[in-house]
Amino acid sequence: MIPFLAPVIGAVSGVIDKVVKDKDLAEQLKHEIAMQDFKLASQQIEVNVMEAQHKSIFVAGWRPWIGWVCGVAIAYTFIGAPFISYAVSIFAPDIPPPPQLETDQIFELVLAMLGMSGLRSFEKIKGVASSHIASKK
């Protein structure tokens, strides 16, 4: 599922439930919407694979770059900043402590990049998980 479409699909499903009285037809329409979303996600995966295979670092390298930035930010937050704060408090107490990073957005980005945002489970529950990925599990 494409994350920004989730609220739209939820709203459309709610409208279908209210407007379409035939439950079978309503389920069929909601299934068609879910399949269209799945097709869009599949096309995005194909684009991602093509980008990853590109020879230019500016096309293929943006995803690893974001991964490294997030990794460094997490390392700083949980390892660097505490040690720096401790050292500053002992050796130079008049120097302000290092800045704290907002980890909420960092973790959202890391989890999304790793595919751990819960969408995979949602696809399995709805029965629209792609067969080549589901067969590996």
Side-chain angles (χ1 to χ4, degrees):
M1 174 176 271
I2 299 176
F4 65 86
L5 288 180
V8 175
I9 291 172
V12 170
S13 294
V15 170
I16 288 173
D17 286 335
K18 290 178 183 175
V19 174
V20 179
K21 300 300 179 196
D22 182 5
K23 298 227 184 252
D24 291 334
L25 179 60
E27 288 302 315
Q28 181 182 359
L29 291 171
K30 288 192 275 186
H31 177 73
E32 287 298 321
I33 291 169
M35 291 307 297
Q36 290 300 319
D37 181 49
F38 176 72
K39 287 178 186 175
L40 286 173
S42 297
Q43 290 170 346
Q44 182 62 52
I45 289 169
E46 290 177 25
V47 169
N48 293 349
V49 169
M50 289 172 41
E51 282 181 352
Q53 294 173 346
H54 201 277
K55 294 186 189 308
S56 171
I57 189 80
F58 295 107
V59 177
W62 74 270
R63 214 176 288 265
W65 180 78
I66 290 175
W68 280 107
V69 168
C70 289
V72 168
I74 290 169
Y76 167 78
T77 299
F78 292 104
I79 299 170
F83 283 111
I84 293 170
S85 292
Y86 180 70
V88 165
S89 71
I90 292 173
F91 300 111
D94 50 329
I95 295 177
Q100 296 295 314
L101 301 179
E102 294 291 326
T103 57
D104 293 346
Q105 291 94 3
I106 294 169
F107 283 125
E108 281 182 29
L109 183 56
V110 169
L111 292 174
M113 287 180 67
L114 295 175
M116 303 169 116
S117 58
L119 300 176
R120 187 78 187 112
S121 298
F122 179 77
E123 287 177 346
K124 286 184 176 183
I125 290 168
K126 290 293 184 181
V128 294
S130 64
S131 59
H132 73 279
I133 294 173
S135 66
K136 290 181 181 179
K137 302 266 178 199

